Amino acid sequence: MWRIQLNGDRQAAWNGPGCKEREWQEGEVRTVFVSGVFDLFHRGHVELLNRAAKFGDRLVVGVNSDEMVERYKRRPVFGEADRLAIVRSMRWVTDAVIYGEFDLKPMVERFRPSVMVHGDDWPRESYLNQIRMTEQDLELYGVELVFVPYWRGTSTTSIVEQLNGSRSVNRALPELPLNGASAADFAI
């Protein structure tokens, strides 16, 4: 296994599943890009970032803006600044930014990743449609799209459902802020 020292004690290892360490040239910096909401940060998010980091030596994360998330899912429980701070705190993350467009081409042009990583809970074509890219775009930019195993058992959706369902047992638990409330509304 090859290792490279990054920013103090941070290291990247090139031995994860799907890694093509033979193709890496000495001195080459391989950037990996991951995008997502990262709301109610949980073990699945940790595993995704950990696995993604193994495909290169620089991990950049695009955190979906609040407005973007509201357009296709629901209002996030934690605001974009909080979600960004949480993602940036992960030891594998080299850089993280907030972005508000489905089209990832501007992120690819900005960070020049060699690899983009996503969980395998999305079919390839559906994910490419979501990020407004094609196989030809990937080839043009020289980006490999890799799907890693989705962490089964924990998801933000299941956490929201569990917490909202538990209100019937414990009436003191407020409904999660899905319709216009913010985390500040629940300050004690």
Side-chain angles (χ1 to χ4, degrees):
M1 169 175 40
W2 241 21
R3 286 196 166 297
I4 188 169
Q5 195 75 24
L6 300 172
N7 299 335
D9 65 342
R10 293 172 57 181
Q11 295 184 353
W14 292 301
N15 69 340
C19 288
K20 298 179 179 179
E21 68 182 76
R22 291 188 257 331
E23 296 180 11
W24 297 15
Q25 302 297 314
E26 185 152 351
E28 177 186 359
V29 175
R30 297 218 0 142
T31 298
V32 178
F33 186 82
V34 174
S35 66
V37 178
F38 300 101
D39 197 17
L40 297 177
F41 203 84
H42 55 75
R43 174 79 183 267
H45 295 128
V46 172
E47 294 298 328
L48 173 64
L49 296 177
N50 180 16
R51 291 171 181 169
K54 293 178 181 175
F55 287 92
D57 55 350
R58 181 173 183 258
L59 177 59
V60 177
V61 180
V63 176
N64 302 145
S65 70
D66 292 343
E67 181 181 316
M68 180 183 175
V69 176
E70 286 184 66
R71 282 188 278 168
Y72 84 101
K73 278 190 172 190
R74 58 169 170 73
R75 184 181 181 124
V77 174
F78 293 115
E80 60 193 30
D82 291 334
R83 293 182 285 116
L84 179 67
I86 291 166
V87 167
R88 282 184 171 164
S89 75
M90 300 302 298
R91 69 178 176 198
W92 307 287
V93 176
T94 307
D95 195 7
V97 296
I98 296 170
Y99 74 97
E101 299 301 323
F102 290 101
D103 186 346
L104 283 185
K105 288 187 280 304
M107 291 287 100
V108 170
E109 290 170 3
R110 177 176 173 186
F111 294 106
R112 301 284 184 205
S114 303
V115 180
M116 290 173 50
V117 176
H118 198 276
D120 69 357
D121 56 322
W122 281 67
R124 184 179 182 92
E125 281 194 36
S126 294
Y127 183 65
L128 285 172
N129 287 335
Q130 174 77 7
I131 64 172
R132 311 303 194 260
M133 292 185 75
T134 64
E135 294 290 347
Q136 292 77 22
D137 291 327
L138 295 175
E139 189 174 325
L140 176 70
Y141 290 114
V143 176
E144 179 183 4
L145 178 58
V146 176
F147 291 87
V148 295
Y150 184 74
W151 185 260
R152 311 276 184 245
T154 306
S155 71
T156 300
T157 300
S158 68
I159 293 170
V160 168
E161 289 171 354
Q162 283 179 321
L163 291 173
N164 283 336
S166 68
R167 284 184 300 115
S168 61
V169 175
N170 181 358
R171 296 280 179 205
L173 183 67
E175 185 167 333
L176 286 175
L178 303 179
N179 296 312
S182 70
D185 295 332
F186 301 103
I188 298 176

